[in-house]
Amino acid sequence: HTPQGTYSVTFMAYDNQWDSADQIPQRAVDQGIIDTYGSLDTSVGGKSSRYSLSGQWSGNDGWSANLYAIQSNMNLWSDFTYYLDNPAQGDQFEQVDKRWIYGGEVKRVLPFGGNYSGQAQYGAQFRYDDIGEVALYNTQDRTRFNTIRKDKVSEKSIGLYAMADVDLTPKLSLMGGARYDYFAADVESDLSANSGSAGEGIASLKGGLSYAFNDAWEAYLNAGQGFHSNDARGATIEIDPQSGTPVDSVDLLVRSVGAETGVRFSTPGLFNASLAFWWLKLDSELLFVGDAGNTEASRPSERYGVEFAGYYRLQKNVNLDFEASYTESRFTDTVAGEGKYIDGALPVVVSAGISHMPDLGWRQSLRIRHLGARPLTSDNSVKSKDSTVLNGSIGYAWKKWRTELEVFNLLGSRDHDIDYYYTSRLSFEPAQGVDDIHFHPVEPRALRFKVSYFF
């Protein structure tokens, strides 16, 4: 702290390597080749590191700024299709991403009075990704034997924004904002046809109204525009690096439009809840591609749903919570041979918990999570099963010490955490492979013990 403001510096470091199973085909489990927690390729896994240095400054006149620098490296080995594309050496592949990231933000928050009270905010955000290597290799037991694609990418973005919150009356508030973003990317590919530059800007508007009926009840309506960015390599691509056939490039930025309305109820210290209805339209989905291990731009879509969240203080230090959502997700265009369902889009999510967390003494909690069945194909002919997991913990707190024993998957659920449907081939199967559900199981029952000391 200084008379001019507050300064802080943060350094973080992360380094890890692991062996882990990819999703596995249901038929391999049904035939007894592996069990639910087995793997058809025991050499998959990865290693990654991330080091970051950031600085923050907050002045006394509403100005604030932050800067950051991040070094990030990742090597990820995966095997989704086994012997479908390469019967001799297998389909394992390695994804590499080595980059430096630089960025920051400068903004100012200004309260204002007069006939209407509130605050205004404006600022700028910027980011530069210097990607020295982003690549895909064919591998066997983590040893490279072929380069599918290798690129260097630099991507720059800047965003300018302004927004304001205004209390029009003691009960009615108005919020509005505008933003402009510009992205520019340069791709240097090992296949010259896929090298190039792309740049695109996009403006977004948002607004909202809220009305407080009394101290407990409030209603609101928000609407706005947004966007997501596609992989820069997809914006300059001309030739598929695996097949050698011409392909269409994608837009660097993709528009989204959404709205939400709902009510909130709050009794301070006892109960608060919210009920929201929302809608979202995307000009292009990003879908997971099982045999490539990445995402690709897909069809336009529309989603709408309802969400409820409630939190209740049952008694001192005992809290109940419940959250539930229902979503309809559909593609909005028509493609011959394809349906309207979005692969993997969750229709139902429910979570609930009870916790007893006093400052001193025994502490306990139970938490349940339920994911509903979801479509795995666009015609909804193949669906996943639903999934339910119960977790719990018990601990003790005294003075500055805390102990805690966490139990994951308390009831030993054998459900699937996530499912995909695509073609793969085991070594003894026909060359064209077999369409099947591939899944990650819910982690088996596990214990974790923690001891903490607070200074």
Side-chain angles (χ1 to χ4, degrees):
H1 296 273
T2 71
Q4 292 75 37
T6 302
Y7 302 82
S8 65
V9 176
T10 303
F11 173 74
M12 294 187 290
Y14 166 86
D15 197 300
N16 190 23
Q17 52 185 329
W18 63 93
D19 299 308
S20 63
D22 282 322
Q23 59 260 22
I24 56 177
Q26 182 66 58
R27 65 187 184 280
V29 177
D30 294 341
Q31 295 170 22
I33 298 172
I34 55 174
D35 64 22
T36 302
Y37 305 109
S39 176
L40 292 173
D41 186 342
T42 57
S43 63
V44 296
K47 60 181 181 180
S48 67
S49 63
R50 184 179 177 94
Y51 303 93
S52 67
L53 179 66
S54 61
Q56 298 82 32
W57 168 75
S58 180
N60 298 324
D61 55 356
W63 283 102
S64 62
N66 69 77
L67 292 171
Y68 59 85
I70 302 170
Q71 184 191 41
S72 174
N73 295 305
M74 183 194 72
N75 299 76
L76 182 64
W77 290 271
S78 304
D79 191 350
F80 300 142
T81 53
Y82 318 114
Y83 295 95
L84 180 65
D85 298 321
N86 191 331
Q89 294 168 289
D91 296 351
Q92 187 186 99
F93 61 93
E94 178 188 6
Q95 294 169 274
V96 177
D97 190 307
K98 298 181 178 181
R99 69 177 69 193
W100 278 90
I101 306 170
Y102 308 94
E105 178 180 15
V106 178
K107 69 176 181 180
R108 192 179 192 189
V109 178
L110 289 173
F112 55 84
N115 294 330
Y116 305 108
S117 63
Q119 69 174 27
Q121 181 180 147
Y122 58 89
Q125 298 170 331
F126 59 93
R127 172 169 165 163
Y128 173 60
D129 286 50
D130 182 10
I131 310 172
E133 180 185 2
V134 56
L136 191 64
Y137 300 96
N138 292 119
T139 57
Q140 185 177 25
D141 293 330
R142 300 195 180 185
T143 300
R144 299 173 185 172
F145 64 85
N146 179 55
T147 300
I148 301 173
R149 180 168 185 175
K150 183 178 180 180
D151 303 274
K152 292 183 179 180
V153 179
S154 64
E155 187 167 11
K156 302 165 282 290
S157 66
I158 184 168
L160 306 175
Y161 67 91
M163 58 184 293
D165 293 283
V166 184
D167 294 328
L168 300 177
T169 72
K171 293 186 175 183
L172 181 65
S173 297
L174 171 69
M175 178 274 292
R179 181 181 180 100
Y180 181 78
D181 290 90
Y182 185 81
F183 281 66
D186 296 293
V187 178
E188 182 183 335
S189 179
D190 58 349
L191 185 62
S192 60
N194 290 333
S195 298
S197 300
E200 191 171 349
I202 192 168
S204 306
L205 298 174
K206 68 176 181 179
L209 283 171
S210 62
Y211 184 82
F213 297 97
N214 51 46
D215 291 340
W217 286 95
E218 180 186 40
Y220 67 90
L221 171 65
N222 298 320
Q225 299 170 306
F227 68 94
H228 70 74
S229 60
N230 280 322
D231 192 317
R233 295 170 296 175
T236 63
I237 192 171
E238 292 185 7
I239 302 295
D240 186 297
Q242 296 202 60
S243 66
T245 58
V247 294
D248 294 327
S249 61
V250 299
D251 293 332
L252 190 59
L253 304 179
V254 178
R255 167 66 73 198
S256 64
V257 181
E260 179 181 357
T261 185
V263 292
R264 305 184 185 103
F265 176 82
S266 176
T267 303
L270 180 62
F271 178 69
N272 65 76
S274 63
L275 178 66
F277 300 87
W278 61 272
W279 167 80
L280 177 66
K281 183 178 181 181
L282 295 173
D283 285 351
S284 173
E285 282 281 332
L286 284 179
L287 290 184
F288 178 78
V289 183
D291 58 357
N294 55 20
T295 57
E296 68 177 19
S298 181
R299 301 154 58 189
S301 68
E302 185 177 41
R303 288 173 166 85
Y304 59 89
V306 57
E307 298 179 353
F308 173 82
Y311 308 91
Y312 180 64
R313 185 180 180 184
L314 190 62
Q315 53 181 275
K316 184 179 180 181
N317 299 318
V318 180
N319 297 293
L320 297 172
D321 63 85
F322 177 81
E323 299 173 347
S325 67
Y326 176 78
T327 304
E328 286 277 348
S329 306
R330 300 289 186 270
F331 291 116
T332 54
D333 64 350
T334 299
V335 176
E338 297 288 341
K340 295 284 190 177
Y341 290 83
I342 300 174
D343 309 7
L346 277 165
V348 176
V349 178
V350 179
S351 67
I354 181 171
S355 63
H356 173 237
M357 294 291 171
D359 293 334
L360 298 173
W362 289 102
R363 302 151 62 90
Q364 307 89 19
S365 71
L366 280 175
R367 174 151 224 87
I368 191 168
R369 182 205 69 185
H370 174 80
L371 305 178
R374 49 205 176 274
L376 300 181
T377 57
S378 63
D379 62 1
N380 202 30
S381 60
V382 182
K383 299 180 67 173
S384 73
K385 296 180 180 179
D386 55 12
S387 169
T388 304
V389 180
L390 180 68
N391 301 319
S393 71
I394 185 170
Y396 192 81
W398 77 100
K399 296 183 179 179
K400 296 183 177 181
W401 290 90
R402 302 284 188 275
T403 63
E404 184 178 17
L405 177 65
E406 295 178 285
V407 185
F408 299 94
N409 194 4
L410 188 64
L411 301 180
S413 170
R414 308 276 290 189
D415 293 340
H416 298 175
D417 217 11
I418 191 168
D419 295 271
Y420 306 97
Y421 186 77
Y422 57 84
T423 305
S424 64
R425 178 180 179 268
L426 307 183
S427 60
F428 54 85
E429 291 180 329
Q432 70 272 20
V434 177
D435 295 338
D436 197 6
I437 291 177
H438 299 72
F439 69 93
H440 279 281
V442 169
E443 293 185 9
R445 186 184 295 110
L447 305 178
R448 182 169 66 186
F449 182 71
K450 297 192 299 185
V451 178
S452 305
Y453 180 79
F454 297 86
F455 296 95

